[in-house]
C-alpha cells in the first residue's frame, strides 16, 4: 500500500497550478493571488519576495494547506491538497511539513526543548535528548532549553522554530520572514542552516523582504499584485535589490 509519506518522494515538493485567492472585505473583494503557477523542486531553497501586500504570505499559507485557494490546485509531494479532508490534511502536514512563522509558531505551555521535540513525539519517534539539545545548540539556544515561549524574545522564539525544523527534518520547510527579528550574525546562522537543509534534500520556501537573505536561496520568486512577475537563479544581493526596486517603482 502506498501511504501519503511514500507519495511525497518524487516530483516537485510543492506545485501550484493556476492558484487564485480572493478575500471578502468590508471595502470589497481583495484578489490576493490572481493565478500563480509554480513548482518548487525537491531539495531546493526558494525565496519569495515582493512589495507589502503582494500576496507572499497568502502563497505560503496556500502551499502549506493552511488556507484553500479560491481556484486552482496545490500539490505537495504529488498529493492534491484540495482532495483531502481536514484529518488527512493535518496528517500530511505533520508527516511532511515544518513551519517557521511569526505567529502560532510554538506551543505556549511547552518549554523550548519540548517544542523542538514535539513533531517527532507526535510522529511516535523515540526522542534522543542529545539530538534535541544539538538542534537548540545550532541556533545558539542550548542554555534556554527549559524556557517557555513567553520567557523568550521574538527572535529567540523564531530560532526555537528553526531548531524544531532541524530536529524533525520535514520534507518541506515553510518560513515567513525567519530572519526578520534577528540581528545580522544570528540571521546569517539561520540562513546557513536553511541552505544546509536544502542541500541535504529538504525543500525550503522562505518569504523575505531582505535581499541579502534572499541571496542564500537557489531561486528568488518575485510577486507583485498577486502575480509572479520575475524569477532569478543564484542571484547576489545587489541584483536582487535592483530587481526589487524596479518592481516597487
Ligand atoms: N484575511 C484577509 N482578509 C482580507 N484581505 C486580506 C486578508 N489577508 C490578506 N489580505 C489582503 O491580501 C493581499 C495579500 O496579503 P499578504 O498577507 O499575502 O501580503 P504579503 O505579500 O505577505 O505582505 P507583507 O509583506 O506586508 O507581509 C493584501 O492586499 C492583503 O490586504
Ligand atoms: Mg506577509
Amino acid at each position: 500500500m502506498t501511504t501519503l509519506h511514500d507519495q511525497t518522494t518524487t516530483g516537485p515538493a510543492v506545485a501550484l497550478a493556476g492558484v487564485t485567492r480572493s478575500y471578502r472585505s468590508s471595502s470589497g473583494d481583495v484578489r490576493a493571488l490572481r493565478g500563480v503557477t509554480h513548482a518548487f523542486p525537491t531539495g531546493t531553497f526558494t525565496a519569495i519576495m515582493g512589495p507589502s501586500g503582494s500576496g507572499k504570505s497568502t502563497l505560503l499559507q496556500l502551499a502549506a494547506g493552511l488556507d484553500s485557494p479560491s481556484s486552482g490546485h496545490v500539490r505537495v509531494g504529488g498529493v492534491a491538497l484540495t482532495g483531502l479532508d481536514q484529518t488527512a490534511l493535518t496528517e500530511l502536514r505533520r508527516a511532511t511539513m515544518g513551519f517557521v512563522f511569526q505567529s502560532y509558531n510554538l506551543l505556549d505551555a511547552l518549554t523550548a526543548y519540548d517544542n523542538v521535540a514535539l513533531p517527532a513525539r507526535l510522529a511516535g519517534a523515540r526522542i534522543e535528548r542529545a539530538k534535541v539539545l544539538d538542534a537548540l545548540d545550532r541556533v545558539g539556544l542550548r542554555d534556554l532549553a527549559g524556557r517557555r515561549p513567553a520567557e523568550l524574545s521574538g527572535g529567540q522564539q523564531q530560532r526555537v522554530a528553526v531548531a524544531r525544523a532541524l530536529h524533525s527534518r520535514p520534507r518541506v520547510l515553510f518560513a515567513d520572514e525567519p530572519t526578520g527579528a534577528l540581528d545580522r550574525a544570528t540571521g546569517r546562522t539561520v540562513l546557513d542552516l536553511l541552505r544546509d537543509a536544502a542541500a541535504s534534500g529538504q525543500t525550503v520556501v522562505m518569504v523575505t523582504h531582505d535581499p541579502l537573505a534572499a541571496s542564500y536561496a537557489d531561486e528568488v520568486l518575485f510577486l507583485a499584485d498577486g502575480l509572479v512577475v520575475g524569477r532569478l537563479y543564484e542571484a547576489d544581493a545587489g541584483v536582487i535589490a535592483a530587481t526589487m526596486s524596479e518592481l516597487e517603482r
Side-chain angles (χ1 to χ4, degrees):
M1 195 187 92
T2 330
T3 66
L4 283 177
H5 230 102
D6 297 333
Q7 290 173 31
T8 55
T9 49
T10 50
V14 181
L16 282 72
V19 169
T20 73
R21 178 66 166 101
S22 302
Y23 294 107
R24 290 250 136 97
S25 81
S26 44
S27 55
D29 279 5
V30 182
R31 296 172 73 199
L33 288 183
R34 301 192 293 139
V36 171
T37 297
H38 186 76
F40 298 89
T42 299
T44 61
F45 183 2
T46 305
I48 300 173
M49 299 193 83
S52 181
S54 57
K56 303 180 296 295
S57 294
T58 303
L59 191 159
L60 213 61
Q61 302 277 336
L62 292 168
L66 295 165
D67 183 20
S68 304
S70 304
S71 63
H73 293 282
V74 178
R75 288 174 173 273
V76 174
V79 180
L81 300 188
T82 24
L84 302 179
D85 62 23
Q86 222 25 257
T87 313
L89 199 52
T90 304
E91 188 192 319
L92 179 71
R93 223 185 275 125
R94 219 174 250 174
T96 62
M97 304 180 202
F99 303 94
V100 181
F101 285 1
Q102 296 219 283
S103 50
Y104 70 92
N105 236 336
L106 306 172
L107 291 185
D108 294 337
L110 300 183
T111 62
Y113 178 95
D114 286 324
N115 267 291
V116 171
L118 185 65
R121 203 158 263 155
L122 289 172
R126 205 172 67 83
I127 309 299
E128 285 181 49
R129 191 175 165 74
K131 288 198 173 159
V132 176
L133 291 175
D134 177 61
L136 281 163
D137 193 40
R138 286 161 75 190
V139 298
L141 291 181
R142 193 190 174 97
D143 294 342
L144 304 184
R147 291 218 200 153
R148 279 193 259 280
E151 300 160 340
L152 296 168
S153 74
Q156 288 167 341
Q157 291 180 43
Q158 268 180 313
R159 281 187 280 154
V160 174
V162 172
R164 181 181 56 192
L166 294 173
H167 180 255
S168 59
R169 293 196 46 78
R171 293 240 166 83
V172 188
L173 176 53
F174 296 103
D176 200 345
E177 293 281 352
T179 57
L182 306 180
D183 60 70
R184 282 235 173 253
T186 315
R188 269 199 299 272
T189 306
V190 166
L191 290 162
D192 279 329
L193 291 168
L194 294 178
R195 190 154 62 182
D196 292 349
S200 75
Q202 291 176 272
T203 305
V204 182
V205 182
M206 169 183 79
V207 167
T208 183
H209 281 108
D210 177 9
L212 187 61
S215 72
Y216 282 70
D218 301 304
E219 178 173 7
V220 186
L221 207 59
F222 294 92
L223 288 186
D225 213 6
L227 292 171
V228 175
V229 293
R231 295 163 72 164
L232 288 173
Y233 297 91
E234 295 178 3
D236 65 39
V239 173
I240 295 168
T243 308
M244 272 299 285
S245 36
E246 195 67 24
L247 284 177
E248 278 162 356
R249 276 200 302 183

